[in-house]
Amino acid sequence: MPLNPSSNPSIPILIKSCKTILHLHQLHVHIIHKGLEQDHSIISHFLSISTSVSYSTSVFNRLLNPSTFLYNILLKIFSKNSQFNGTFSLFNRMKQSDHALPDKYTYPQLIKACSNELRLKEGQIVHGSAIRCGVSDDVYVGSSLIDFYGKCKEILSARKVFDEMSERNVVSWTAMIIGYANFGDLENAKRVFERMPERNLPSWNAMISGLTKAGDLKGARKVFDEMVERNVVSFTVMIDGYAKAGDMVSARALFEEAPEKDIVAWSALISGYSQNEQPNEALKIFLELVSVNVKPDEFIMVSMMSACSQLGSLDMAKCIDSYLSQTSIDILQAHVLAALIDMHAKCGNLEKAKTLFEDMPRRDLISCCSLVQGLSIHGRGAEAVELFSRMLDEGLIPDAVAFTVILTACSQGGLIEEGWYFFDAMKNKYSLVPSPDHYACMVDLLSRAGELKAAYDLLNSIPLEPHACAWVALLGACKLHGDVELGEVVANRLFALEPQNAGSYVLLSDIYAAANQWLDVSFVREKMKERGIRKVPGCSCIFTEA
């Protein structure tokens, strides 16, 4: 029998005052010595502040007849720590108990566990169990089910639960909005939002989040401006939305306007600059963050590594490496390690990049491609090909992006034979259909090597019209190798594809000038005048020699 908690009034106070796991263990020893380990009230306080799943389970397992209340506390601990199997094992044990029965507080924890793992089948079973238990009509159970079905994109099931609820609260309404937004049905999300009897900050934030994800920044900003109250989440959602749309001016303006900035807001702005290829701005914001004593997390550091890769600054890469070594960030996390390899490879510290890559617990395609790119950028194309070939031999399955990377490496290294090999392997061994980018890589490779006819024949063999950059690469090669005849043919194709692009006319004019065909130069210039095409002052097309 549980003891009377009123006889031990100081124990709950002591439990709440525990600051470390050691203090909690010491107090647990005291509880055992006092013969209070079967006191449900005391143990409920103890479990409520414990952060260790294994330790909480061991304390719970010493109870002779745990109550429903205690089962629910442990279920919450399991669910909060993403212990899916443990959550359901405990639930099954609870159902077999003679002293505890599932109630309306039990099911939200089970549904949350299913939501975290997107376990649709198991969630549907829990839903059926809640109906049989007679608690499915509870507002918290119903809200949890709406959230679960919304996350699983079973929007009709979510709406059915919502419509059948006899009582709804702001959480139910917000969950339905989020469900529609995740499903991409913004019209219904707006309808639910407009019908809400009472709106809170999460419901407003859910609406602007759904709109930004759908790319409707104008609509999102309208809702944002209508908000009576905003928090850091509101600002961060809009900052991230603008950043993803490439509007860093608006993103920065909102960041400066935000009365409060948390680590997520800083991360949204820094990653925005990095993703939009503004590495110097990313660095400025990072230095500002450090100056106000905000500790960067792994996501900010990954963004900084990406910015450093874009700058190609070896000194900056060393600084970031040194900074990381002074933090508690786990660099063995896949996304952190991949960013580190990419940074060192592109900044020229190839030995460091190779060491990190070879020491990876499990080498992946992304890191392999980063190292291949780094090697090819720094003139080590043969090593890039050797690495890529070794990874294929070890069972790595390349995708379309990987083939773009290796074909570019072959092009930069002038490796024609290897380029043809990978191009054929892509089609015949890995059953991938080459995209215009892959053809462009091959055209660039052949053009650099002076095989202009082969490049032209390859372009003409593409099932779909290749994009203009492939033809521009070939026209540049015609200029480089002085091939007037083919240059005319290629230029005419470009005139049809991009009739207002001055670059193609200028290239053809240069080809004629190099061959001393001044009448043809005049003809091209006249044609530009007739079509109202002007060369932009100070700009020119540059093609790198092989």
Side-chain angles (χ1 to χ4, degrees):
M1 284 290 292
L3 301 178
N4 184 355
S6 62
S7 63
N8 309 284
S10 63
I11 300 292
I13 297 172
L14 289 172
I15 291 172
K16 288 179 182 178
S17 68
C18 288
K19 301 298 182 186
T20 67
I21 191 70
L22 179 61
H23 291 159
L24 200 62
H25 288 178
Q26 290 171 343
L27 186 55
H28 187 205
V29 171
H30 177 71
I31 290 170
I32 292 171
H33 285 166
K34 286 282 188 179
L36 301 174
E37 63 177 327
Q38 297 301 318
D39 188 310
H40 287 194
S41 177
I42 288 175
I43 296 303
S44 70
H45 282 94
F46 189 87
L47 291 176
S48 294
I49 70 160
S50 174
T51 56
S52 168
V53 174
S54 58
Y55 190 60
S56 299
T57 304
S58 67
V59 171
F60 181 87
N61 287 340
R62 294 176 69 91
L63 293 166
L64 296 178
N65 297 309
S67 64
T68 295
F69 183 65
L70 288 167
Y71 266 107
N72 287 341
I73 292 174
L74 191 58
L75 280 169
K76 185 175 182 179
I77 293 170
F78 275 120
S79 179
K80 188 176 180 180
N81 288 276
S82 301
Q83 299 280 332
F84 183 82
N85 292 331
T87 301
F88 279 84
S89 294
L90 184 64
F91 176 60
N92 289 329
R93 178 177 161 189
M94 181 184 190
K95 288 195 295 183
Q96 295 166 10
S97 169
D98 294 329
H99 302 276
L101 287 172
D103 61 10
K104 64 182 180 180
Y105 301 107
T106 305
Y107 285 96
Q109 305 307 326
L110 299 170
I111 298 163
K112 183 180 178 183
C114 294
S115 294
N116 292 340
E117 300 279 334
L118 298 181
R119 298 287 193 99
L120 178 60
K121 184 179 178 181
E122 289 85 347
Q124 289 170 330
I125 292 170
V126 171
H127 187 181
S129 177
I131 292 171
R132 289 190 295 275
C133 189
V135 298
S136 61
D137 196 44
D138 177 77
V139 66
Y140 296 105
V141 175
S143 299
S144 299
L145 284 168
I146 294 167
D147 176 69
F148 162 69
Y149 283 122
K151 284 179 179 173
C152 291
K153 300 202 172 181
E154 292 287 324
I155 199 65
L156 293 179
S157 298
R159 187 58 194 248
K160 187 172 186 294
V161 172
F162 181 81
D163 288 339
E164 291 177 352
M165 291 178 72
S166 56
E167 176 192 356
R168 302 185 192 109
N169 61 12
V170 70
V171 177
S172 322
W173 287 89
T174 304
M176 197 65 244
I177 292 169
I178 294 172
Y180 274 127
N182 286 341
F183 192 68
D185 186 350
L186 289 179
E187 288 305 313
N188 272 315
K190 288 176 186 174
R191 287 192 187 100
V192 173
F193 182 72
E194 288 164 2
R195 284 178 53 207
M196 281 186 79
E198 178 189 356
R199 296 170 187 165
N200 62 359
L201 260 175
S203 58
W204 283 95
N205 289 339
M207 200 63 238
I208 60 174
S209 177
L211 289 164
T212 56
K213 283 177 183 175
D216 184 4
L217 283 171
K218 187 176 179 181
R221 186 58 189 254
K222 183 176 181 295
V223 174
F224 178 83
D225 290 339
E226 289 172 357
M227 294 176 72
V228 177
E229 178 189 1
R230 305 182 190 108
N231 62 4
V232 68
V233 175
S234 320
F235 280 91
T236 303
V237 168
M238 288 302 304
I239 292 165
D240 186 56
Y242 279 124
K244 283 185 169 62
D247 185 357
M248 291 309 301
V249 173
S250 297
R252 180 64 179 271
L254 268 182
F255 180 81
E256 297 297 343
E257 184 186 326
E260 179 190 355
K261 301 174 182 72
D262 64 7
I263 193 70
V264 183
W266 285 97
S267 183
L269 189 65
I270 291 171
S271 67
Y273 278 125
S274 177
Q275 289 164 11
N276 285 284
E277 298 182 355
Q278 298 182 50
N280 286 314
E281 291 300 320
L283 177 58
K284 287 178 186 176
I285 299 300
F286 178 76
L287 294 175
E288 186 181 330
L289 172 146
V290 173
S291 71
V292 294
N293 296 319
V294 177
K295 188 176 179 181
D297 62 9
E298 65 195 75
F299 301 104
I300 287 178
M301 294 311 299
V302 165
S303 293
M304 288 310 303
M305 285 182 250
S306 174
C308 184
S309 297
Q310 293 168 43
L311 290 169
S313 169
L314 185 56
D315 289 339
M316 184 177 166
K318 288 177 179 177
C319 288
I320 289 176
D321 214 21
S322 174
Y323 189 89
L324 272 174
S325 67
Q326 299 169 39
T327 70
S328 59
I329 294 170
D330 180 10
I331 67 166
L332 293 179
Q333 295 176 90
H335 64 295
V336 179
L337 194 51
L340 260 179
I341 292 169
D342 184 64
M343 177 184 74
H344 285 299
K346 287 178 181 170
C347 293
N349 193 349
L350 294 168
E351 300 314 310
K352 173 80 171 182
K354 286 166 72 176
T355 299
L356 286 168
F357 180 74
E358 297 298 342
D359 290 345
M360 286 182 81
R362 185 179 176 184
R363 291 187 286 273
D364 59 32
L365 189 61
I366 294 173
S367 298
C368 174
C369 288
S370 293
L371 189 50
V372 166
Q373 277 185 311
L375 289 165
S376 64
I377 287 168
H378 295 283
R380 292 161 67 169
E383 279 186 66
V385 168
E386 183 183 348
L387 170 67
F388 194 79
S389 298
R390 176 164 67 88
M391 289 296 96
L392 296 188
D393 291 340
E394 291 181 10
L396 210 61
I397 305 298
D399 58 11
V401 174
F403 276 110
T404 300
V405 169
I406 193 60
L407 289 175
T408 301
C410 291
S411 176
Q412 291 173 339
L415 304 169
I416 296 177
E417 186 177 335
E418 291 84 349
W420 275 119
Y421 169 78
F422 287 121
F423 189 71
D424 290 336
M426 177 185 182
K427 296 184 291 182
N428 302 322
K429 185 175 180 180
Y430 295 98
S431 302
L432 293 171
V433 178
S435 71
D437 285 332
H438 299 117
Y439 281 101
C441 289
M442 288 303 297
V443 168
D444 190 52
L445 170 59
L446 294 168
S447 298
R448 285 169 183 257
E451 297 189 17
L452 306 186
K453 180 65 167 60
Y456 178 70
D457 291 341
L458 181 62
L459 275 176
N460 282 321
S461 72
I462 303 177
L464 298 172
E465 178 67 57
H467 47 55
C469 72
W471 289 107
V472 171
L474 183 52
L475 186 58
C478 290
K479 175 190 171 184
L480 187 65
H481 295 283
D483 192 329
V484 177
E485 185 180 348
L486 184 58
E488 289 176 331
V489 174
V490 174
N492 284 322
R493 182 67 71 93
L494 276 166
F495 296 159
L497 282 173
E498 295 184 335
Q500 295 301 309
N501 189 338
S504 304
Y505 293 89
V506 173
L507 273 174
L508 181 59
S509 176
D510 289 346
I511 291 171
Y512 285 141
N516 293 316
Q517 296 179 209
W518 301 107
L519 280 175
D520 291 316
V521 170
S522 298
F523 177 75
V524 171
R525 288 175 178 172
E526 284 300 319
K527 186 181 284 189
M528 289 178 72
K529 283 182 181 179
E530 287 173 13
R531 298 182 179 181
I533 299 166
R534 297 176 62 189
K535 181 184 175 183
V536 179
C539 294
S540 62
C541 295
I542 300 171
F543 293 89
T544 306
E545 294 189 33

